[in-house]
Amino acid sequence: LFGQRGKDPDGVILSNFILSNGISDNLIINDFLPTICKTRILAQRQQLMRIDEEIIFDNSKEQIDELYYSILKKIDKSNVVILSDYSKGVLTGNIVELIIQTCTQKNIPVFVDPKWQSWSRFRNATCLTPNLHELEKYLNKKIITDEEIVAAGNELLQALNMRWLLVTLGKDGLCLVSREVQGEFMKSR
């Protein structure tokens, strides 16, 4: 697991949690930002609200380089790479493109959960996993039918040169679109 945390008590809790679950802690410690913390307020097992404590800004070139070189040291031991940071400022600059390029050269699949504004930076990744709303927003059109989901998926596959697109459909399940599969729907029961 790679990423960034603050030099604060929440960051220590996060690192301890990661390590206690048998995951190596490769988090870069940022002296200037607090660790992102989300507090859920529950009543009778139902979430009423969530309080997010976060400061978001793009990493410096030095921080991007530090993270990239840290990833490079371990990438050969990876079977797959998953990129996801919900636009919190870690995967900024050209680090996404560098990771995808490195993985492509080493034949390591890259799966991306796209929370960023521009998806062009994910070109050549193996699989993109947007939800339906994100896909509509990216293509700037309303998608209603299964056929429209498949058509939108094919449009995105071509535009970004990907192997698969896995669209999450909330309570309605998933849709896998690939060059080999023209829309395989896995519906929720």
Side-chain angles (χ1 to χ4, degrees):
L1 178 65
F2 293 88
Q4 178 174 278
R5 71 169 178 88
K7 187 177 185 178
D8 56 12
D10 288 331
V12 173
I13 290 169
L14 176 60
S15 286
N16 288 339
F17 179 79
I18 291 168
L19 292 170
S20 71
N21 282 281
I23 301 168
S24 62
D25 179 2
N26 298 289
L27 300 179
I28 293 170
I29 299 173
N30 187 320
D31 294 335
F32 307 106
L33 288 178
T35 302
I36 293 173
C37 186
K38 298 176 181 291
T39 304
R40 288 173 170 77
I41 309 299
L42 305 174
Q44 297 177 351
R45 291 194 247 174
Q46 182 176 352
Q47 180 175 314
L48 300 176
M49 73 167 66
R50 187 180 79 191
I51 301 168
D52 294 354
E53 299 171 71
E54 60 189 19
I55 299 171
I56 299 171
F57 74 91
D58 288 350
N59 279 327
S60 68
K61 179 169 179 1
E62 292 76 23
Q63 290 167 316
I64 292 168
D65 289 346
E66 181 182 358
L67 181 60
Y68 178 64
Y69 291 118
S70 180
I71 291 168
L72 269 184
K73 290 177 187 174
K74 306 231 177 171
I75 207 161
D76 287 331
K77 297 175 184 172
S78 301
N79 295 319
V80 67
V81 170
I82 300 170
L83 301 176
S84 178
D85 85 339
Y86 290 75
S87 293
K88 301 300 181 190
V90 175
L91 296 177
T92 59
N94 66 342
I95 193 166
V96 169
E97 294 91 337
L98 290 170
I99 292 169
I100 291 172
Q101 180 181 30
T102 300
C103 289
T104 300
Q105 291 167 352
K106 295 176 178 289
N107 206 25
I108 299 170
V110 180
F111 289 75
V112 179
D113 187 10
K115 300 297 182 201
W116 300 271
Q117 299 290 330
S118 171
W119 288 3
S120 62
R121 61 195 314 216
F122 307 128
R123 187 175 320 287
N124 300 318
T126 309
C127 181
L128 196 68
T129 63
N131 63 40
L132 183 57
H133 175 70
E134 291 164 339
L135 183 59
E136 289 175 332
K137 191 173 175 184
Y138 179 77
L139 295 174
N140 197 29
K141 61 180 161 185
K142 188 73 177 154
I143 301 169
I144 298 171
T145 67
D146 288 354
E147 293 78 16
E148 290 172 334
I149 294 170
V150 173
N154 280 318
E155 182 181 338
L156 198 57
L157 283 176
Q158 294 301 320
L160 299 180
N161 191 35
M162 294 190 173
R163 183 163 179 200
W164 300 307
L165 181 75
L166 183 63
V167 183
T168 58
L169 306 171
K171 64 178 177 45
D172 295 323
L174 307 164
C175 177
L176 177 66
V177 181
S178 74
R179 294 176 186 168
E180 300 85 23
V181 178
Q182 291 304 303
E184 180 72 30
F185 286 85
M186 293 147 266
K187 300 286 185 174
S188 297
R189 297 178 194 251

